[in-house]
Amino acid sequence: MPAEISLPVYMRVGDSPEQELGTLTMPISGGQVELSVLRVELATFYRALADAVEHPPQDDKEATDGTA
């Protein structure tokens, strides 16, 4: 089994506390994470995140004061 590394991804907006958005798990090759693999994994992660923000589940109701 190849070695892997898990990297938590956080975001902070303004003065709000940071929130963990998820975790990227990537293979380690030669003791390092390949930069090209990291870029692809980050791009895929952020595309999925943008899709979830743009198309929330039907049961996800936004707060009327905009704090959702």
Side-chain angles (χ1 to χ4, degrees), residues 38-55:
L38 176 61
R39 287 179 178 157
V40 169
E41 292 296 325
L42 276 173
T44 301
F45 180 88
Y46 285 127
R47 282 186 191 105
L49 178 63
D51 187 54
V53 169
E54 189 172 6
H55 307 285

PDB file of all heavy atoms in Angstrom, residues 38-55:
ATOM      1  N   LEU A  38      -1.002  17.727  -6.270  1.00  0.00           N
ATOM      2  CA  LEU A  38      -1.601  18.673  -5.319  1.00  0.00           C
ATOM      3  C   LEU A  38      -2.482  19.677  -6.050  1.00  0.00           C
ATOM      4  O   LEU A  38      -3.611  19.947  -5.620  1.00  0.00           O
ATOM      5  CB  LEU A  38      -0.522  19.395  -4.524  1.00  0.00           C
ATOM      6  CG  LEU A  38      -1.000  20.476  -3.558  1.00  0.00           C
ATOM      7  CD1 LEU A  38      -1.925  19.894  -2.498  1.00  0.00           C
ATOM      8  CD2 LEU A  38       0.186  21.175  -2.918  1.00  0.00           C
ATOM      9  N   ARG A  39      -2.008  20.215  -7.159  1.00  0.00           N
ATOM     10  CA  ARG A  39      -2.797  21.196  -7.915  1.00  0.00           C
ATOM     11  C   ARG A  39      -4.096  20.589  -8.431  1.00  0.00           C
ATOM     12  O   ARG A  39      -5.161  21.203  -8.341  1.00  0.00           O
ATOM     13  CB  ARG A  39      -1.974  21.736  -9.086  1.00  0.00           C
ATOM     14  CG  ARG A  39      -0.895  22.677  -8.655  1.00  0.00           C
ATOM     15  CD  ARG A  39      -0.116  23.161  -9.836  1.00  0.00           C
ATOM     16  NE  ARG A  39       0.891  24.118  -9.414  1.00  0.00           N
ATOM     17  CZ  ARG A  39       1.970  24.387 -10.104  1.00  0.00           C
ATOM     18  NH1 ARG A  39       2.200  23.804 -11.264  1.00  0.00           N
ATOM     19  NH2 ARG A  39       2.840  25.265  -9.650  1.00  0.00           N
ATOM     20  N   VAL A  40      -4.016  19.392  -8.979  1.00  0.00           N
ATOM     21  CA  VAL A  40      -5.219  18.729  -9.498  1.00  0.00           C
ATOM     22  C   VAL A  40      -6.200  18.446  -8.365  1.00  0.00           C
ATOM     23  O   VAL A  40      -7.404  18.686  -8.497  1.00  0.00           O
ATOM     24  CB  VAL A  40      -4.850  17.430 -10.247  1.00  0.00           C
ATOM     25  CG1 VAL A  40      -6.082  16.601 -10.548  1.00  0.00           C
ATOM     26  CG2 VAL A  40      -4.094  17.758 -11.527  1.00  0.00           C
ATOM     27  N   GLU A  41      -5.711  17.928  -7.252  1.00  0.00           N
ATOM     28  CA  GLU A  41      -6.581  17.611  -6.116  1.00  0.00           C
ATOM     29  C   GLU A  41      -7.228  18.865  -5.537  1.00  0.00           C
ATOM     30  O   GLU A  41      -8.415  18.857  -5.212  1.00  0.00           O
ATOM     31  CB  GLU A  41      -5.807  16.852  -5.038  1.00  0.00           C
ATOM     32  CG  GLU A  41      -5.380  15.467  -5.457  1.00  0.00           C
ATOM     33  CD  GLU A  41      -6.544  14.539  -5.735  1.00  0.00           C
ATOM     34  OE1 GLU A  41      -7.587  14.629  -5.047  1.00  0.00           O
ATOM     35  OE2 GLU A  41      -6.415  13.717  -6.645  1.00  0.00           O
ATOM     36  N   LEU A  42      -6.463  19.956  -5.396  1.00  0.00           N
ATOM     37  CA  LEU A  42      -7.035  21.208  -4.894  1.00  0.00           C
ATOM     38  C   LEU A  42      -8.087  21.753  -5.846  1.00  0.00           C
ATOM     39  O   LEU A  42      -9.154  22.198  -5.423  1.00  0.00           O
ATOM     40  CB  LEU A  42      -5.938  22.258  -4.688  1.00  0.00           C
ATOM     41  CG  LEU A  42      -5.194  22.195  -3.368  1.00  0.00           C
ATOM     42  CD1 LEU A  42      -4.034  23.180  -3.375  1.00  0.00           C
ATOM     43  CD2 LEU A  42      -6.119  22.478  -2.203  1.00  0.00           C
ATOM     44  N   ALA A  43      -7.817  21.725  -7.139  1.00  0.00           N
ATOM     45  CA  ALA A  43      -8.774  22.220  -8.129  1.00  0.00           C
ATOM     46  C   ALA A  43     -10.064  21.410  -8.072  1.00  0.00           C
ATOM     47  O   ALA A  43     -11.166  21.973  -8.093  1.00  0.00           O
ATOM     48  CB  ALA A  43      -8.163  22.177  -9.521  1.00  0.00           C
ATOM     49  N   THR A  44      -9.951  20.094  -7.988  1.00  0.00           N
ATOM     50  CA  THR A  44     -11.122  19.228  -7.903  1.00  0.00           C
ATOM     51  C   THR A  44     -11.915  19.525  -6.636  1.00  0.00           C
ATOM     52  O   THR A  44     -13.147  19.615  -6.645  1.00  0.00           O
ATOM     53  CB  THR A  44     -10.700  17.749  -7.942  1.00  0.00           C
ATOM     54  OG1 THR A  44      -9.990  17.510  -9.156  1.00  0.00           O
ATOM     55  CG2 THR A  44     -11.888  16.819  -7.848  1.00  0.00           C
ATOM     56  N   PHE A  45     -11.208  19.685  -5.515  1.00  0.00           N
ATOM     57  CA  PHE A  45     -11.843  19.985  -4.231  1.00  0.00           C
ATOM     58  C   PHE A  45     -12.623  21.291  -4.309  1.00  0.00           C
ATOM     59  O   PHE A  45     -13.795  21.362  -3.919  1.00  0.00           O
ATOM     60  CB  PHE A  45     -10.759  20.064  -3.152  1.00  0.00           C
ATOM     61  CG  PHE A  45     -11.288  20.366  -1.779  1.00  0.00           C
ATOM     62  CD1 PHE A  45     -11.699  19.337  -0.947  1.00  0.00           C
ATOM     63  CD2 PHE A  45     -11.350  21.661  -1.316  1.00  0.00           C
ATOM     64  CE1 PHE A  45     -12.183  19.605   0.321  1.00  0.00           C
ATOM     65  CE2 PHE A  45     -11.834  21.936  -0.051  1.00  0.00           C
ATOM     66  CZ  PHE A  45     -12.249  20.911   0.769  1.00  0.00           C
ATOM     67  N   TYR A  46     -11.989  22.359  -4.830  1.00  0.00           N
ATOM     68  CA  TYR A  46     -12.645  23.664  -4.882  1.00  0.00           C
ATOM     69  C   TYR A  46     -13.785  23.690  -5.904  1.00  0.00           C
ATOM     70  O   TYR A  46     -14.769  24.399  -5.707  1.00  0.00           O
ATOM     71  CB  TYR A  46     -11.633  24.774  -5.157  1.00  0.00           C
ATOM     72  CG  TYR A  46     -10.790  25.087  -3.944  1.00  0.00           C
ATOM     73  CD1 TYR A  46      -9.408  25.084  -4.010  1.00  0.00           C
ATOM     74  CD2 TYR A  46     -11.385  25.376  -2.723  1.00  0.00           C
ATOM     75  CE1 TYR A  46      -8.639  25.368  -2.895  1.00  0.00           C
ATOM     76  CE2 TYR A  46     -10.622  25.654  -1.598  1.00  0.00           C
ATOM     77  CZ  TYR A  46      -9.250  25.659  -1.690  1.00  0.00           C
ATOM     78  OH  TYR A  46      -8.496  25.945  -0.594  1.00  0.00           O
ATOM     79  N   ARG A  47     -13.693  22.925  -6.989  1.00  0.00           N
ATOM     80  CA  ARG A  47     -14.806  22.843  -7.933  1.00  0.00           C
ATOM     81  C   ARG A  47     -16.025  22.203  -7.270  1.00  0.00           C
ATOM     82  O   ARG A  47     -17.153  22.661  -7.445  1.00  0.00           O
ATOM     83  CB  ARG A  47     -14.405  22.047  -9.173  1.00  0.00           C
ATOM     84  CG  ARG A  47     -13.563  22.831 -10.142  1.00  0.00           C
ATOM     85  CD  ARG A  47     -13.304  22.061 -11.429  1.00  0.00           C
ATOM     86  NE  ARG A  47     -12.291  22.744 -12.187  1.00  0.00           N
ATOM     87  CZ  ARG A  47     -11.020  22.341 -12.293  1.00  0.00           C
ATOM     88  NH1 ARG A  47     -10.619  21.239 -11.708  1.00  0.00           N
ATOM     89  NH2 ARG A  47     -10.160  23.045 -12.997  1.00  0.00           N
ATOM     90  N   ALA A  48     -15.798  21.134  -6.524  1.00  0.00           N
ATOM     91  CA  ALA A  48     -16.898  20.471  -5.821  1.00  0.00           C
ATOM     92  C   ALA A  48     -17.493  21.401  -4.765  1.00  0.00           C
ATOM     93  O   ALA A  48     -18.719  21.452  -4.576  1.00  0.00           O
ATOM     94  CB  ALA A  48     -16.417  19.171  -5.179  1.00  0.00           C
ATOM     95  N   LEU A  49     -16.651  22.152  -4.070  1.00  0.00           N
ATOM     96  CA  LEU A  49     -17.123  23.097  -3.068  1.00  0.00           C
ATOM     97  C   LEU A  49     -17.963  24.199  -3.718  1.00  0.00           C
ATOM     98  O   LEU A  49     -19.048  24.532  -3.234  1.00  0.00           O
ATOM     99  CB  LEU A  49     -15.939  23.714  -2.322  1.00  0.00           C
ATOM    100  CG  LEU A  49     -16.275  24.764  -1.273  1.00  0.00           C
ATOM    101  CD1 LEU A  49     -17.100  24.148  -0.152  1.00  0.00           C
ATOM    102  CD2 LEU A  49     -15.001  25.385  -0.732  1.00  0.00           C
ATOM    103  N   ALA A  50     -17.484  24.743  -4.838  1.00  0.00           N
ATOM    104  CA  ALA A  50     -18.235  25.791  -5.542  1.00  0.00           C
ATOM    105  C   ALA A  50     -19.582  25.260  -6.017  1.00  0.00           C
ATOM    106  O   ALA A  50     -20.593  25.967  -5.937  1.00  0.00           O
ATOM    107  CB  ALA A  50     -17.418  26.314  -6.720  1.00  0.00           C
ATOM    108  N   ASP A  51     -19.621  24.027  -6.496  1.00  0.00           N
ATOM    109  CA  ASP A  51     -20.871  23.432  -6.939  1.00  0.00           C
ATOM    110  C   ASP A  51     -21.855  23.296  -5.780  1.00  0.00           C
ATOM    111  O   ASP A  51     -23.048  23.578  -5.923  1.00  0.00           O
ATOM    112  CB  ASP A  51     -20.606  22.071  -7.578  1.00  0.00           C
ATOM    113  CG  ASP A  51     -21.853  21.487  -8.207  1.00  0.00           C
ATOM    114  OD1 ASP A  51     -22.480  22.184  -9.041  1.00  0.00           O
ATOM    115  OD2 ASP A  51     -22.195  20.347  -7.865  1.00  0.00           O
ATOM    116  N   ALA A  52     -21.353  22.903  -4.613  1.00  0.00           N
ATOM    117  CA  ALA A  52     -22.211  22.756  -3.436  1.00  0.00           C
ATOM    118  C   ALA A  52     -22.744  24.110  -2.962  1.00  0.00           C
ATOM    119  O   ALA A  52     -23.887  24.215  -2.521  1.00  0.00           O
ATOM    120  CB  ALA A  52     -21.452  22.069  -2.311  1.00  0.00           C
ATOM    121  N   VAL A  53     -21.932  25.159  -3.095  1.00  0.00           N
ATOM    122  CA  VAL A  53     -22.386  26.498  -2.704  1.00  0.00           C
ATOM    123  C   VAL A  53     -23.415  27.012  -3.702  1.00  0.00           C
ATOM    124  O   VAL A  53     -24.439  27.582  -3.322  1.00  0.00           O
ATOM    125  CB  VAL A  53     -21.187  27.475  -2.618  1.00  0.00           C
ATOM    126  CG1 VAL A  53     -21.660  28.916  -2.484  1.00  0.00           C
ATOM    127  CG2 VAL A  53     -20.287  27.096  -1.454  1.00  0.00           C
ATOM    128  N   GLU A  54     -23.163  26.786  -4.980  1.00  0.00           N
ATOM    129  CA  GLU A  54     -24.068  27.270  -6.017  1.00  0.00           C
ATOM    130  C   GLU A  54     -25.380  26.489  -6.069  1.00  0.00           C
ATOM    131  O   GLU A  54     -26.431  27.041  -6.361  1.00  0.00           O
ATOM    132  CB  GLU A  54     -23.383  27.194  -7.382  1.00  0.00           C
ATOM    133  CG  GLU A  54     -24.156  27.858  -8.484  1.00  0.00           C
ATOM    134  CD  GLU A  54     -23.383  27.931  -9.784  1.00  0.00           C
ATOM    135  OE1 GLU A  54     -22.274  27.368  -9.872  1.00  0.00           O
ATOM    136  OE2 GLU A  54     -23.899  28.540 -10.723  1.00  0.00           O
ATOM    137  N   HIS A  55     -25.315  25.199  -5.768  1.00  0.00           N
ATOM    138  CA  HIS A  55     -26.491  24.330  -5.838  1.00  0.00           C
ATOM    139  C   HIS A  55     -26.674  23.589  -4.508  1.00  0.00           C
ATOM    140  O   HIS A  55     -26.425  22.396  -4.420  1.00  0.00           O
ATOM    141  CB  HIS A  55     -26.339  23.312  -6.976  1.00  0.00           C
ATOM    142  CG  HIS A  55     -26.012  23.928  -8.289  1.00  0.00           C
ATOM    143  ND1 HIS A  55     -26.947  24.603  -9.034  1.00  0.00           N
ATOM    144  CD2 HIS A  55     -24.854  23.994  -8.976  1.00  0.00           C
ATOM    145  CE1 HIS A  55     -26.376  25.046 -10.137  1.00  0.00           C
ATOM    146  NE2 HIS A  55     -25.109  24.695 -10.127  1.00  0.00           N
TER     147      HIS A  55
END
